Amino acid sequence: MSEPRPDRHDASDPDDTFEEIVDEATQRDPDLAVIEAGSRTLRAHSGQPQGEAVPARPADPETDKALRAVEQELAGRWGETKLEPSVTRIAALMDVLGEPQRAYPSIHITGTNGKTSTARMIEALLNAFELRTGRYTSPHVQSITERISLDGSPIAAERFIETYGDIKPYVEMVDAQQPYRLSFFEVLTGMAYAAFADAPVDVAVVEVGMGGTWDATNVIDSTVAVVTPISLDHTDRLGTTPAEIAGEKAGVIKPGATVILAQQPVDAAQVMLKKAVEVDATVAREGMEFGVASREIAVGGQLVTLRGLGGEYEEIFLPLYGAHQAHNAAVALAAVEAFFGIGAEQARSLDIDAIRKAFASVLSPGRLEVVRSSPTVVLDAAHNPAGAKAAADGISEAFSFSRLIGVVGTSDDKDVRGLLEAFEPIFAEIVVTQNSTPRAMDADALAAIAVEVFGDERVQVEPRLDDALEAAITLAEEEDEYAGAGVLVTGSVITVGEARLLLGRG
């Protein structure tokens, strides 16, 4: 597949017809030319994407009521933590829906940390080259509609409701034929694949829910498989070592695909490389075939030079904090280069202006996201020790807080001690709390572990999240000498999402 040209027509021009776009692409891959022409013609009617990262509840009362009804029906199914490891049910649903997931090429993303941020970057890069994208990620920060995006924006509530209504009869048909009903995540996956086919999209960017081999998303035949850093998480389901976890995640690698492999523990990398050899897949490794050449702190983010599969891309502004986001950017760039055949089929680079524009537009809600000033309140969805270490390093590098107060609410199935130990060096004090879901760890139980890590004098308990936020902000404002104090809310995507709403960002 050839590289898209950076020059492009104004999608609002009525003369920018399908035929004209194809005609001007005579020196490019004809299949890609037709795909892009169709995409750009569609966009002439639908307008440019809004880029809204976290949608609010629908303003229309009837739409909001209908969305809540769908959410309630989905909530009545198995939750995301209750699994029967198999793709049998989702495969059956795809069959009765007419295999919508095969209507477009896809990039499949697995790993432990960084999947959603990497998916957003890949999506932005593809959009910059005029490809119409569908993105499926999980979990959501605030709205369930965030999980399914078209052209960089969460699917509209009305379309979410319509898509559910369209596939509901088929879901019920599969439910009746299987020993277990389709789960919450399986139904959402079916909705995403159907919505992408209906759009239609030129390429889908799909994040696994958990693992890889038996994950519901793994009914696609992706040409590019991305593996973000693997660490210990979901050990009760995926394995207790990086190698065991890698064995499950390697299931996304399809025969003949290109594997973009982020920096990994040695044993995890060995498993991935072995799988690639078995299925005759091509591997590009961070630190070898691609990587971060340099990075420096900049106002509002960082300035990076990335070494891609086709050469160096200099002076890229990334409006995200932390070294981990620079590495995510390198992985995302390599994935898009691989999708366009660069590195294997072609020795050329993508257009640098398009790359810069794409990265500068990237948003990643709940990932070292500043949501308030005076004092500064930062949200980060770290929920395991590796994620907490990356967040701690990122906030220490990007902010000059004289004193940092932590607000932590976790799920009860996580390595809570490991997470707290990662944050201990940067938190002056910690306010432990809990979010509103049944999976939340009880605040008192969390406090008991926190006292062992931080000591009794540095721990405050506020079971209600709103009280915890107020207490942390009060601590940050306590004395004049701490005028440069800040607050970091972390421990869970759910905790961060609820805090975001409470702080007026919903």
Side-chain angles (χ1 to χ4, degrees):
M1 192 174 287
S2 300
E3 175 196 354
R5 287 173 60 182
D7 50 312
R8 59 194 83 139
H9 281 232
D10 181 355
S12 64
D13 184 351
D15 294 326
D16 192 14
T17 63
F18 183 90
E19 291 80 8
E20 288 175 339
I21 302 171
V22 174
D23 287 343
E24 73 173 16
T26 54
Q27 296 184 3
R28 302 168 53 224
D29 185 291
D31 292 335
L32 182 59
V34 171
I35 287 174
E36 289 187 16
S39 172
R40 289 154 69 181
T41 303
L42 280 168
R43 223 179 254 128
H45 298 287
S46 61
Q48 294 298 316
Q50 296 299 305
E52 182 185 28
V54 180
R57 296 297 308 184
D60 177 59
E62 289 303 314
T63 302
D64 187 53
K65 181 180 178 181
L67 179 60
R68 291 186 187 278
V70 172
E71 290 171 328
Q72 187 172 0
E73 287 190 29
L74 289 170
R77 294 180 173 273
W78 274 4
E80 291 175 278
T81 59
K82 186 171 183 180
L83 305 167
E84 192 278 314
S86 162
V87 294
T88 302
R89 292 174 302 283
I90 188 67
L93 179 60
M94 293 297 100
D95 182 54
V96 296
L97 288 175
E99 304 290 348
Q101 81 283 14
R102 305 198 191 285
Y104 37 79
S106 57
I107 297 174
H108 206 177
I109 306 169
T110 190
T112 303
N113 292 308
K115 296 189 295 296
T116 299
S117 293
T118 303
R120 286 181 173 275
M121 294 178 192
I122 291 172
E123 173 187 53
L125 288 165
L126 293 168
N127 287 158
F129 289 108
E130 299 292 349
L131 291 184
R132 193 165 206 220
T133 55
R135 173 172 53 83
Y136 181 51
T137 54
S138 60
H140 56 274
V141 177
Q142 286 174 206
S143 171
I144 194 172
T145 60
E146 293 168 41
R147 295 179 180 234
I148 304 173
S149 290
L150 295 172
D151 282 335
S153 296
I155 190 171
E158 294 84 355
R159 195 164 189 174
F160 186 92
I161 296 162
E162 180 183 352
T163 301
Y164 178 74
D166 287 344
I167 77 164
K168 183 178 177 180
Y170 301 97
V171 169
E172 292 173 344
M173 185 187 308
V174 173
D175 284 344
Q177 296 170 348
Q178 299 292 326
Y180 304 102
R181 298 170 70 215
L182 286 152
S183 69
F184 167 87
F185 187 73
E186 287 169 332
V187 175
L188 276 175
T189 302
M191 289 174 62
Y193 289 160
F196 296 162
D198 184 60
V201 302
D202 302 328
V203 54
V205 182
V206 179
E207 174 189 334
V208 303
M210 186 186 301
T213 302
W214 41 258
D215 187 75
T217 62
N218 201 30
V219 288
I220 52 175
D221 294 319
S222 52
T223 56
V224 178
V226 176
V227 187
T228 65
I230 291 172
S231 60
L232 299 182
D233 200 4
H234 302 294
T235 53
D236 55 332
R237 299 176 180 88
L238 301 180
T240 57
T241 67
E244 290 177 350
I245 294 172
E248 290 294 335
K249 295 182 182 292
V252 305
I253 301 174
K254 302 301 193 300
T258 299
V259 184
I260 305 301
L261 196 61
Q263 291 180 343
Q264 304 289 348
V266 173
D267 54 349
Q270 290 173 337
V271 171
M272 288 291 172
L273 293 172
K274 181 180 178 183
K275 174 68 174 184
V277 170
E278 290 173 356
V279 300
D280 195 28
T282 301
V283 179
R285 299 154 295 176
E286 184 182 6
M288 299 291 287
E289 287 76 24
F290 70 93
V292 179
S294 66
R295 57 181 293 269
E296 58 184 87
I297 306 305
V299 177
Q302 53 192 304
L303 195 66
V304 300
T305 293
L306 303 178
R307 182 165 51 84
L309 304 179
E312 282 204 353
Y313 300 81
E314 299 179 340
E315 296 184 354
I316 296 170
F317 175 66
L318 183 65
L320 302 173
Y321 300 108
H324 60 295
Q325 294 290 15
H327 290 285
N328 289 340
V331 169
L333 176 60
V336 172
E337 286 183 307
F339 181 76
F340 288 130
I342 292 173
E345 301 169 17
Q346 308 172 53
R348 64 172 70 185
S349 298
L350 293 172
D351 178 68
I352 185 61
D353 290 333
I355 296 298
R356 286 172 178 156
K357 181 179 179 181
F359 276 121
S361 72
V362 171
L363 300 173
S364 196
R367 277 73 179 179
L368 288 181
E369 178 189 19
V370 178
V371 293
R372 173 182 164 156
S373 58
S374 299
T376 299
V377 178
V378 183
L379 307 180
D380 193 87
H383 55 272
N384 56 45
K389 178 65 165 59
D393 289 346
I395 202 166
S396 298
E397 175 185 78
F399 299 88
S400 300
F401 293 127
S402 58
R403 184 168 180 251
L404 184 63
I405 311 300
V407 175
V408 180
T410 68
S411 296
D412 62 6
D413 59 345
K414 300 298 181 181
D415 179 0
V416 174
R417 181 180 295 276
L419 180 141
L420 293 176
E421 288 174 345
F423 281 124
E424 191 277 333
I426 69 166
F427 287 162
E429 296 181 60
I430 179 174
V431 181
V432 298
T433 187
Q434 63 191 72
N435 59 57
S436 64
T437 66
R439 289 180 58 199
M441 173 172 266
D442 177 76
D444 289 333
L446 177 56
I449 301 173
V451 166
E452 294 177 3
V453 174
F454 289 84
D456 185 65
E457 292 184 356
R458 294 168 65 193
V459 178
Q460 182 172 333
V461 185
E462 295 290 350
R464 287 172 52 105
L465 182 55
D466 54 349
D467 293 337
L469 291 171
E470 183 178 350
I473 290 170
T474 299
L475 286 170
E477 296 175 329
E478 205 165 54
E479 298 177 29
D480 290 341
E481 66 179 290
Y482 295 135
V487 174
L488 175 63
V489 184
T490 189
S492 162
V493 175
I494 298 164
T495 300
V496 162
E498 292 182 354
R500 207 173 186 276
L501 281 170
L502 289 167
L503 293 165
R505 294 301 291 263

